Amino acid sequence: MLVSLEGVDGSGKSTQAELLWEWLQQEGRDVVMTREPGGTPLGEEIRELVLHGDHIAPWAEVALYLAARAQHVDQVIRPALASG
């Protein structure tokens, strides 16, 4: 199962994700919690650049988000789903 929480900055996604993670673990589920951008070393560097870097052109920002997602899917999401 893959669950994705979406919303604007400050809407409570991290809080809700933490509460859901804790509840699922209490129910005996194996849970992988991650975030985007982030979730991998490259993704964390991209996150830092996008959130705190100098002005980034809109299409460059999109490319960075896509790069972070590609790495995240390859290193975190696919392996987690494959392992059940």
Side-chain angles (χ1 to χ4, degrees):
M1 175 187 314
L2 175 66
V3 176
S4 175
L5 302 178
E6 303 287 338
V8 297
D9 289 342
S11 64
K13 298 177 302 290
S14 296
T15 300
Q16 293 304 312
E18 185 73 27
L19 291 170
L20 179 59
W21 179 76
E22 289 173 4
W23 180 78
L24 288 169
Q25 284 197 317
Q26 290 172 1
E27 293 293 310
R29 305 287 184 147
D30 290 329
V31 181
V32 175
M33 187 166 77
T34 188
R35 66 180 183 177
E36 282 189 348
T40 66
L42 176 63
E44 292 299 331
E45 289 183 39
I46 291 172
R47 179 184 187 85
E48 185 66 26
L49 180 63
V50 169
L51 295 178
H52 305 291
D54 292 333
H55 175 75
I56 300 172
W59 283 110
E61 186 172 334
V62 169
L64 288 170
Y65 275 109
L66 291 174
R69 165 132 331 147
Q71 193 74 12
H72 195 219
V73 167
D74 188 65
Q75 288 187 332
V76 178
I77 295 172
R78 276 196 185 125
L81 290 173
S83 72

